Amino acid sequence: PLTAVRKLVLAAAASGVALVVLELTAAGKSRLRILVPLLAAAACLWMLSRLIEQRGWFDALLPAVASALFVATMAQAMLWVGRDPFKGAAAGLSLGLGTGALALLGSSAVLAMGAIGVGAAAGACLLVQMLRRSASPAGATISLPAALVCALSVTLVAWQGTLPWYVLLPVLAAPWAAALAPQRGHGLLRAIIAATLALVPMLLSVGLAMAAGRQFP
């Protein structure tokens, strides 16, 4: 059966289809930048469909809409930040590692491994760019899967009741924090600054999750 975790994996894999058009066709870029957030929101609702049914549509309507908006916002933000491959890969690195920590605090080792894997992939893209000393499209390509995997993962953990909803709010700031990094300069320095800036809101989210765990054991 298609569990929520399996739906998450399928949604992340399907983002690769969108990336082919996004990276290779100029005409598809403008359209997909509009469609991708809508598709991300739909993927979120699809992933949560069983949980929504169990909770009841009336009680779950507002949380479901909020979750879909959260995932759509993350996808749009990472697409925008990913226009600069250095920043896109750096944001994916910090987002993946931070999400992995949140999933572990939410007692989901499977989701934690997936998020950390995405973070490691983004880190590899970032390393390649630093060795090349120039930007590579790989940084932009990793942005969308990183956004989907991480946003869907923390949303699912929150719906499972192991993390309070407010823990997710700082996560929204991670891509925009990476965007504050300088546009020019040495690749290594830009990467470090962007990854560090993106890591700050993720650490805040982890801190909130730890505090919530101590308050509600």
Side-chain angles (χ1 to χ4, degrees), residues 33 75-84 175-176 179:
R33 290 190 187 279
Q76 181 63 41
M78 287 294 279
L79 278 179
W80 188 84
V81 174
R83 294 184 302 177
D84 183 323
W176 304 111

Side-chain angles (χ1 to χ4, degrees), residues 19-189:
L19 287 171
V20 172
V21 181
L22 189 65
E23 295 293 343
L24 298 182
T25 64
K29 289 186 178 182
S30 58
R31 295 178 182 176
L32 277 179
R33 290 190 187 279
I34 299 175
L35 288 176
V36 163
L38 298 177
L39 294 175
C44 176
L45 295 176
W46 179 54
M47 179 189 72
L48 297 174
S49 57
R50 287 194 177 184
L51 296 174
I52 294 173
E53 291 177 1
Q54 292 172 3
R55 187 177 296 188
W57 282 97
F58 181 79
D59 294 332
L61 180 60
L62 183 58
V65 172
S67 299
L69 288 175
F70 170 79
V71 175
T73 302
M74 285 294 298
Q76 181 63 41
M78 287 294 279
L79 278 179
W80 188 84
V81 174
R83 294 184 302 177
D84 183 323
F86 274 107
K87 295 179 181 180
L93 170 62
S94 298
L95 192 62
L97 297 180
T99 300
L102 288 173
L104 283 177
L105 291 172
S107 303
S108 181
V110 173
L111 294 177
M113 287 189 293
I116 292 173
V118 168
C125 291
L126 191 61
L127 178 61
V128 168
Q129 293 181 85
M130 289 188 293
L131 292 176
R132 287 166 46 116
R133 297 183 179 181
S134 62
S136 165
T141 302
I142 197 63
S143 301
L144 182 57
L148 280 177
V149 171
C150 295
L152 292 175
S153 295
V154 293
T155 299
L156 182 56
V157 173
W159 269 76
Q160 291 172 342
T162 50
L163 282 180
W165 64 269
Y166 58 82
V167 169
L168 277 59
L169 295 179
V171 177
L172 289 171
W176 304 111
L180 297 177
Q183 294 288 345
R184 298 180 179 180
H186 192 275
L188 177 60
L189 182 60

